[in-house]
Amino acid sequence: MTRPIRLIVLFAIPALIVASLLWVAFRPLPVTAELVPIARGPMEVTLEVEGKARIREVWEVSAPIAGTARRSPVRVGDPVEAGETLVAVVEPIEPSLLDRRSRVEAEAATHEAEAAFTAAESRLQQALQELSYAKSRHDQTRTLVERGAAPADRLEEATQALKVAQAARDTALSTRIMAQSALDRTRAALIGPGDGTGDGSGCCVEIRAPATGVVLAIDQLSARPVAAGERLLDIGDPNDLEIVADLLSRDAVRLPEDALAHVARWGGAGEPPAHLRRIEPSARTEVSALGIEEQRVEAIFDFTTPDGPPVGLGDGYALRLRIVLWRSPDELQVPIAALFREGQNWASFVVEEGRARRAVLEIGRRNDTAAQVLGGLEIGDVVIAHPGEKIAEGFAVRAAERE
């Protein structure tokens, strides 16, 4: 080997060593990322809404008359039997007190009615006597005519007189009935508070339970005056529960017929199933906490568990519904955390031979955790979850260690 060659080799070796050291020092290290394999499986798209349990049929017991409702014979939570349990007693309203002038006028009207009744009674007695006399004359005249001792026209006269006496009797009887009613009315005007019979018989209206269940609410335990139709208490069956969910109208139209729902966050274990029974036909306008007008509508769900509603759930209890809008038993899925926007399209980083490759995807339905893959990925592909700014096309990637 000549001297120049030896010198070249002598200087090249250190240069190669230095270059190798620089490359090792400054080479790009693989980016640590969470890698998720693409797989198939069941998928659901759900809508989560707030709801509450309520008794399906609530019976409202009201006062049938105006008066005084006695102290309630039942308490909230008491069991009641339809048609048997006494739930309320209402006394008719007491008459008001009369001032001096009104009492004098009522007493004068009573005296007048008593006199009219006496006169009517006298006229009735007179009419009865006249009827008896006319009947006796009619019988005598008929006997004489039958014997030929009197002409036939006398019988006609006696018959006419008898009919007139009968009409007078009927008129006098009606007049006495009218006088009796007027007397009763004027005497009733004199009745004051506490002027009843005092034995309490037939004085009150007793109300029995209209349905079997428990007492849900009582307006007031103590005795109090009530108006006709005023609510006294509510009765319902705590085992006959339904679920009412408050939805935005634009969400309600997305619900399929007989939609399945999972009852969550109700305070117990598990998520009992429920099915949509109906959506109320009319929406209402409400103002949100942000001051925005919203159209909201109630959706009614029924528990479908064989044993009925979960034990412990009661009327008005809060819960949360996960309503299934769409479901499939087998779909290719990509985690939502692996998606990002690429212009108008969705994209994801796929790891191939240790390096990241950007893949444009065709995405279908989505839920909170995954999206349906219609194109761009295949089963077994590995994607990067939560790709940050450190990930770019062609970068080396290694899987993060799981704790």
Side-chain angles (χ1 to χ4, degrees):
M1 181 181 295
T2 61
R3 183 175 180 183
I5 295 176
R6 287 200 302 269
L7 291 176
I8 292 173
V9 173
L10 187 62
F11 285 104
I13 292 175
L16 289 174
I17 295 174
V18 171
S20 300
L21 293 175
L22 291 175
W23 181 84
V24 171
F26 295 101
R27 75 183 189 280
L29 297 176
V31 179
T32 301
E34 181 182 352
L35 305 184
V36 181
I38 299 299
R40 303 185 68 92
M43 183 178 178
E44 286 185 348
V45 177
T46 60
L47 172 68
E48 290 201 17
V49 295
E50 298 294 334
K52 66 178 180 180
R54 72 179 181 189
I55 292 178
R56 191 189 311 272
E57 295 289 345
V58 176
W59 297 79
E60 184 178 285
V61 179
S62 303
I65 60 172
T68 301
R70 291 182 177 177
R71 185 171 180 83
S72 176
V74 292
R75 298 294 183 269
V76 174
D78 285 357
V80 295
E81 199 71 28
E84 296 184 6
T85 308
L86 182 67
V87 295
V89 179
V90 180
E91 298 178 355
I93 191 169
E94 288 279 2
S96 59
L97 291 170
L98 298 175
D99 56 62
R100 181 176 178 80
R101 174 180 292 180
S102 299
R103 176 164 288 277
V104 171
E105 291 176 350
E107 290 175 349
T110 302
H111 295 325
E112 182 180 352
E114 289 174 347
F117 177 76
T118 301
E121 182 69 25
S122 298
R123 285 194 294 271
L124 176 60
Q125 295 300 324
Q126 180 182 352
L128 290 175
Q129 292 296 330
E130 292 175 352
L131 176 62
S132 177
Y133 176 73
K135 186 175 182 181
S136 175
R137 293 282 297 175
H138 176 270
D139 292 342
Q140 292 175 1
T141 303
R142 184 176 59 185
T143 301
L144 292 174
V145 170
E146 290 175 352
R147 292 177 180 179
D153 57 351
R154 289 185 59 184
L155 179 60
E156 295 178 0
E157 293 176 358
T159 302
Q160 181 66 25
L162 177 61
K163 292 181 178 180
V164 171
Q166 289 174 341
R169 186 271 317 268
D170 294 341
T171 301
L173 181 61
S174 298
T175 302
R176 192 189 71 165
I177 293 174
M178 294 172 60
Q180 180 67 59
S181 299
L183 178 59
D184 293 341
R185 184 170 60 253
T186 56
R187 286 175 175 173
L190 291 172
I191 297 176
D195 289 346
T197 60
D199 59 1
S201 59
C203 71
C204 306
V205 177
E206 295 184 345
I207 305 174
R208 305 285 171 175
T212 299
V214 300
V215 179
L216 302 177
I218 299 176
D219 277 15
Q220 188 171 323
L221 287 175
S222 300
R224 61 188 174 98
V226 293
E230 185 173 344
R231 189 180 79 120
L232 301 176
L233 71 158
D234 292 338
I235 294 173
D237 183 359
N239 296 319
D240 186 22
L241 292 178
E242 64 184 10
I243 303 169
V244 55
D246 194 22
L247 306 176
L248 291 171
S249 59
R250 62 176 177 268
D251 290 333
V253 299
R254 299 166 55 198
L255 268 59
E257 186 177 356
D258 193 29
L260 171 67
H262 305 286
V263 182
R265 294 170 56 182
W266 59 276
E271 294 187 354
H275 276 87
L276 176 67
R277 172 156 47 97
R278 75 170 187 272
I279 298 176
E280 296 295 347
S282 298
R284 65 188 184 280
T285 302
E286 291 188 0
V287 180
S288 68
L290 300 177
I292 301 174
E293 286 192 353
E294 298 175 339
Q295 296 302 117
R296 306 194 75 89
V297 64
E298 289 186 348
I300 312 301
F301 290 79
D302 292 324
F303 288 99
T304 55
T305 49
D307 299 331
V311 177
L313 201 61
D315 183 48
Y317 284 30
L319 49 84
R320 192 167 182 85
L321 277 181
R322 289 194 298 108
I323 306 172
V324 179
L325 302 179
W326 173 86
R327 66 189 311 181
S328 174
D330 186 34
E331 290 293 333
L332 187 64
Q333 303 172 48
V334 60
I336 289 292
L339 296 177
F340 60 89
R341 278 291 188 179
E342 182 78 11
Q344 297 296 322
N345 301 317
W346 288 102
S348 183
F349 281 113
V350 182
V351 178
E352 294 181 350
E353 298 180 355
R355 294 191 175 274
R357 177 180 65 83
R358 184 182 287 106
V360 177
L361 309 181
E362 184 181 354
I363 296 301
R365 299 178 183 269
R366 290 175 291 164
N367 56 29
D368 293 339
T369 59
Q372 179 188 21
V373 179
L374 301 179
L377 289 176
E378 296 180 357
I379 189 169
D381 287 343
V382 177
V383 296
I384 300 176
H386 308 287
E389 296 180 354
K390 295 182 179 180
I391 304 295
E393 180 77 20
F395 276 31
V397 179
R398 67 178 179 182
E401 295 182 1
R402 297 183 179 272
E403 296 181 357

